[in-house]
Structure formats: C-alpha cells, structure tokens
Amino acid sequence: MKESDIIFPSIVETFLKQGMNSIDEQEAADIHQFLEMVYAEQPCNEKAVYGLIKIYNAKKEFEQAKEIGQSFIMMDGYNKDILGELSITFLSLNQMDTYFSLVKQHLEKEAQLEDVPNDDFSEESNVIPFPKKIKPRRNIQNFLEWGTAEQLEFLQQARFHDIDSYLEAFQIFLKDAETSPYVKSMVFELLQEKNVDTVFRVKKLGLEGDFNPSKVSVLTDDPFTKELTGALTKRWEHDNPSFLEQLLVIVQLHLFIMYPFQMPSKDVALWSEAYSSWLSQLYGEEPSENVAINPDELIEARRFIEKMEKVQQNYLL
C-alpha cells in the first residue's frame, strides 16, 4: 500500500495539527491504535511517525518516541515537523547533543537538495544528480528570520566561538515577542555561559523584562527550582517513583521555557500541590486536597500550568 493510499480520519488530522488538547482520552487511544497500524505497514510514513512521537511525548514515554524517531532518521527520513517534535523527546532525556547532531544532518541534507537542479530529470529518471555546492552559513544579522532548527544548530556551534559579533542579532531576537520562547531560553543560556555582562530586553509568553545574563542564576542553581523539585521528590519518591519522574520532567520543561522569567509566585507548597493535582487528574485520579492551600490560588496555579503545557506543545519548536 502506498502512503498516498492511506486516508487519515479527520480526528487524526485534527490531533496532528492541534495536539492532545484537541482530543479526549478515548479519542487519544483510538488515534494511537490507528497510527500504530499505519506505522506497522509503513514505517516511513511521515504522518504516522510524527503522530506517534507526539503521542509518546504527551504520555511522557520518551524512550519509545526516541526509538521511533531514530528509526525513521536511519531510514534516510528527514522531516522538519518530526525533528521539531523530537526536540521535546531529547530535551526530556537530557540528550540535546544528540538532537543537535540530527538537526545538523537535516540542514546539510536540505542544503544539498535545494541546490540540485532537477529541470533536466524526469520523475522516472534513475540518474542521481549531485549537488553543485553546499550553501554557506547565512548572515547572523538575519538570525531572527532563520528557521528554528537552523537557529538551534547555530547556537550549539556558537558555544565554541567568541560571540561578541552575535550580540546585536541576539538583542533583536530576544525582544521580538513572536519568536520561539524555547530558542530564547537557549540564547539566554548561551549568554550566561559566555558571561555576557549586558542588559537584554526579553519578551516571551506575554511577559517583558530586562535581564543581565551574568546577574541571573543558572536555572539548575535557582533556589526556587531546587526547593520545588525537592518538595515533589519528598512527596512522591516512595509512594509513586514513576509519577515523580514525569512530574519532574514537566516542571523542568515549563521552567526552561519560561527562563529567564520565573513562576508568578515563589510559594513552593502551592506549586507542589498544583502540579501534583494537575497530573493526577490527567490520569483520571481524584487528587487528595491539601486544606492548607488556598483553593482560589490553586485554581490559578493549575490554569498557569495548563497554559505552559499548551505553550510547550505548540511552540517548543
């Protein structure tokens, strides 16, 4: 059966475009079953691969997502949407170096394909035209206009260079409210790593502020981050270690996407309760209520978590 012969139901198409927030639990199960069936017949079907990775990421089953993504890539598959969804996978597994290597391979292959003249070759031709040249790196001053994958690959390489000549482009990028909040976090981390002592205006997620990378705590050293992860660990490490692992991944992703901004409040008990009850309800469980937590504040905290989860799904790449 050819890839074009498979008709994807409208609910699957909706999920592929809008993510898990557009479907309920039963629909998610049906979609998963359908995509597995397509994948079994056509392991290189881009829609099926993308959808399965998206589902496994949503379920925090990152190893399965990684296995499917790497299998697709090993079979010479290059797809921007799939690479984008895999960024969530590799970030969650703390394997971003591997991800950057995949992005680099994709960019190099894309550059080659774009330079192949195909006017003289018919669709049936078995002649393989070689690229005339590899595209040179684009001007850093146009960093704002690059695709996300190219930006991330550049930032990885920039760690080995002097970045003084990049600062103007980074300033423009950070204060543009429409650019990826995830890439902004990567840029800010690079500025921190290089001990850049300059104030940058940062706009993301409807927030705006001025930050000096040399004066802001590294995310892993931030006292609030340590207290929150410590509180969640104390609460769940013995009763439900797998639940705790998923909680910590979610918190890490949300804090990273916000960076250098922070949570609306520093109430560790509130956020521990909010994240625990929010994830419990996703599993269809009724969370135990902490009477010490203000119920109105808890509702607002959970709304904020839902907003961050939507941002993660839509804008991580």
Side-chain angles (χ1 to χ4, degrees):
M1 182 181 293
K2 297 180 180 179
E3 184 168 336
S4 58
D5 292 337
I6 295 182
I7 299 175
F8 282 67
S10 59
I11 187 64
V12 179
E13 296 284 2
T14 299
F15 162 72
L16 294 175
K17 293 178 181 178
Q18 301 180 20
M20 296 295 287
N21 290 336
S22 63
I23 58 176
D24 59 31
E25 187 175 345
Q26 182 57 53
E27 288 172 334
D30 294 341
I31 291 170
H32 192 174
Q33 183 178 14
F34 173 81
L35 292 174
E36 289 283 10
M37 177 190 69
V38 175
Y39 182 71
E41 294 185 12
Q42 299 180 359
C44 285
N45 186 297
E46 294 181 355
K47 278 188 176 181
V49 172
Y50 172 70
L52 285 175
I53 295 173
K54 200 174 188 71
I55 282 180
Y56 282 129
N57 279 342
K59 295 168 66 176
K60 315 303 177 187
E61 297 177 3
F62 301 113
E63 287 293 345
Q64 290 91 329
K66 174 185 172 183
E67 181 179 346
I68 289 175
Q70 286 189 321
S71 295
F72 176 80
I73 290 169
M74 286 178 65
M75 289 185 283
D76 204 28
Y78 291 84
N79 176 285
K80 285 184 177 180
D81 290 335
I82 290 173
L83 282 173
E85 191 64 29
L86 280 174
S87 70
I88 302 174
T89 306
F90 284 98
L91 176 62
S92 303
L93 294 172
N94 195 27
Q95 297 177 6
M96 287 305 286
D97 286 346
T98 303
Y99 175 73
F100 283 123
S101 296
L102 296 176
V103 170
K104 184 178 180 182
Q105 292 174 30
H106 169 70
L107 292 173
E108 289 174 348
K109 186 176 184 67
E110 187 180 61
Q112 290 176 352
L113 292 176
E114 287 179 359
D115 280 326
V116 174
N118 54 19
D119 295 342
D120 298 330
F121 298 96
S122 66
E123 203 170 297
E124 278 73 33
S125 173
N126 58 6
V127 178
I128 302 175
F130 287 89
K132 294 187 295 184
K133 61 180 180 178
I134 300 293
K135 284 188 177 180
R137 180 175 297 286
R138 299 162 70 185
N139 190 332
I140 179 60
Q141 299 308 319
N142 298 325
F143 184 79
L144 180 68
E145 302 170 5
W146 297 359
T148 303
E150 187 173 3
Q151 290 169 340
L152 291 174
E153 192 266 343
F154 177 85
L155 292 172
Q156 178 69 358
Q157 297 299 319
R159 297 182 184 278
F160 304 104
H161 305 128
D162 182 274
I163 66 169
D164 286 349
S165 61
Y166 308 155
L167 297 185
E168 182 180 352
F170 289 161
Q171 285 180 327
I172 295 172
F173 179 79
L174 289 171
K175 68 181 180 182
D176 187 301
E178 302 302 319
T179 50
S180 165
Y182 173 66
V183 178
K184 282 190 171 83
S185 298
M186 298 293 289
V187 169
F188 199 84
E189 276 202 334
L190 174 62
L191 296 172
Q192 279 190 316
E193 184 179 323
K194 295 295 185 177
N195 297 313
V196 175
D197 188 9
T198 303
V199 174
F200 291 82
R201 172 59 58 92
V202 181
K203 296 181 182 180
K204 60 158 58 175
L205 309 176
L207 303 171
E208 182 174 349
D210 295 319
F211 299 92
N212 185 326
S214 67
K215 304 292 194 298
V216 178
S217 299
V218 177
L219 187 57
T220 53
D221 293 335
D222 178 64
F224 172 77
T225 302
K226 289 183 176 181
E227 289 181 30
L228 178 56
T229 55
L232 291 170
T233 300
K234 183 178 180 180
R235 179 171 180 171
W236 295 105
E237 64 179 338
H238 298 302
D239 293 340
N240 197 333
S242 60
F243 184 83
L244 171 63
E245 183 179 354
Q246 294 181 49
L247 267 179
L248 294 181
V249 168
I250 293 169
V251 170
Q252 178 190 23
L253 284 169
H254 290 182
L255 290 173
F256 185 79
I257 292 172
M258 289 190 65
Y259 198 61
F261 294 97
Q262 299 180 335
M263 291 290 194
S265 81
K266 294 295 185 71
D267 188 337
V268 172
L270 170 64
W271 291 108
S272 174
E273 181 69 20
Y275 272 101
S276 297
S277 62
W278 172 76
L279 187 58
S280 294
Q281 286 201 337
L282 284 186
Y283 281 103
E285 300 175 4
E286 192 64 32
S288 57
E289 295 185 1
N290 186 337
V291 295
I293 302 297
N294 183 298
D296 292 333
E297 291 181 356
L298 182 60
I299 290 173
E300 286 302 313
R302 290 187 52 172
R303 284 175 179 167
F304 181 83
I305 292 170
E306 290 169 359
K307 173 186 173 183
M308 294 307 302
E309 190 68 7
K310 188 173 182 178
V311 168
Q312 173 201 316
Q313 293 179 4
N314 294 338
Y315 301 107
L316 191 54
L317 248 189

